[in-house]
Amino acid sequence: MWRGLSALVTRPASAPLRLCARCSTGAESLVPGSTIFALSSGQGRCAIAVIRTSGPASGLALRSLTALREPPPARSACLRLLRHPCSGEPLDRSLVLWFPGPQSFTGEDCMELHVHGGPAVVSGVLQALGSVPGLRPAKAGEFTRRAFAHGKLSLTEVEGLADLIHAETEAQRRQALRQLDGELSQLCQGWAKTLTKWTEMCGPWRWH
């Protein structure tokens, strides 16, 4: 499949940037802030695996693994050959997607790599990302925590997302999707407005 698509891609003349925590000359400093990366599509062999980053060094990671000097158009997929930032060794052909903040899941600059799902490919790409200055592996749930911290998801929507991921029945899926869409959050906001209105009308003395 990728061989057919590769014919549509113009091969860049320049090699990827050699920016690597272990093999850089020291001229490059760590990017301020914390940028995380993780496999988002689950463990195990599969046709396609999704690896994503979030944080200010996402653009650096993109340039380090590809020959792109600038990020691709936002939310548009492009096919690129991934190389290890230190050795330049080819890793895989990947669909690359760029989500500039704040218009992203976490509210930060994000990148997604859609690679072949073999264990060696996934491991190689994760190791390559780990060699880029300013990047570290994400902790469990950290992407969602960042989305919550940046106001992209409410607490009830975070719970709905977790329920949707773990849903096993149609009823669970429908309920979780409604919660993720903000239905419960809107209901709670309505209750809060009603209680606030009644408190203002009745006055504090009536509650004693």
Side-chain angles (χ1 to χ4, degrees):
M1 178 181 70
W2 296 114
R3 292 179 181 177
L5 289 174
S6 63
L8 302 177
V9 179
T10 302
R11 294 179 180 270
S14 57
L17 297 179
R18 298 293 192 266
L19 296 178
C20 167
R22 291 191 294 270
C23 61
S24 63
T25 61
E28 303 88 2
S29 59
L30 293 181
V31 177
S34 176
T35 299
I36 56 176
F37 66 90
L39 173 65
S40 298
S41 54
Q43 301 290 337
R45 289 180 175 83
C46 55
I48 301 296
V50 179
I51 298 171
R52 61 178 176 172
T53 70
S54 178
S58 291
L60 174 62
L62 187 153
R63 296 192 300 272
S64 298
L65 270 68
T66 72
L68 294 172
R69 295 191 177 276
E70 296 293 336
R75 292 169 290 280
S76 297
C78 65
L79 182 64
R80 284 294 182 271
L81 176 65
L82 303 183
R83 294 181 181 272
H84 196 286
C86 294
S87 64
E89 179 184 1
L91 299 172
D92 192 20
R93 291 198 177 276
S94 168
L95 287 179
V96 179
L97 293 97
W98 174 247
F99 302 92
Q103 303 301 321
S104 68
F105 173 72
T106 62
E108 302 174 327
D109 287 347
C110 294
M111 174 187 66
E112 285 189 2
L113 301 174
H114 294 210
V115 301
H116 292 95
V121 174
V122 172
S123 176
V125 174
L126 291 176
Q127 290 178 11
L129 286 171
S131 71
V132 177
L135 268 70
R136 64 168 176 81
K139 300 176 182 178
E142 191 167 1
F143 281 89
T144 304
R145 283 200 298 272
R146 292 191 176 202
F148 174 71
H150 289 97
K152 308 300 286 188
L153 293 174
S154 67
L155 183 58
T156 56
E157 289 168 343
V158 169
E159 294 174 343
L161 177 59
D163 290 343
L164 185 61
I165 292 173
H166 293 93
E168 297 181 354
T169 68
E170 282 297 301
Q172 291 173 340
R173 178 191 61 79
R174 287 193 293 267
Q175 174 61 29
L177 190 58
R178 286 197 297 268
Q179 187 166 338
L180 179 59
D181 287 340
E183 185 174 306
L184 179 58
S185 179
Q186 294 172 6
L187 181 62
C188 291
Q189 289 176 5
W191 290 342
K193 290 180 180 179
T194 300
L195 289 173
T196 301
K197 181 179 179 180
W198 276 101
T199 301
E200 293 174 349
M201 290 176 59
C202 296
W205 62 273
R206 292 184 179 272
W207 296 97
H208 293 293

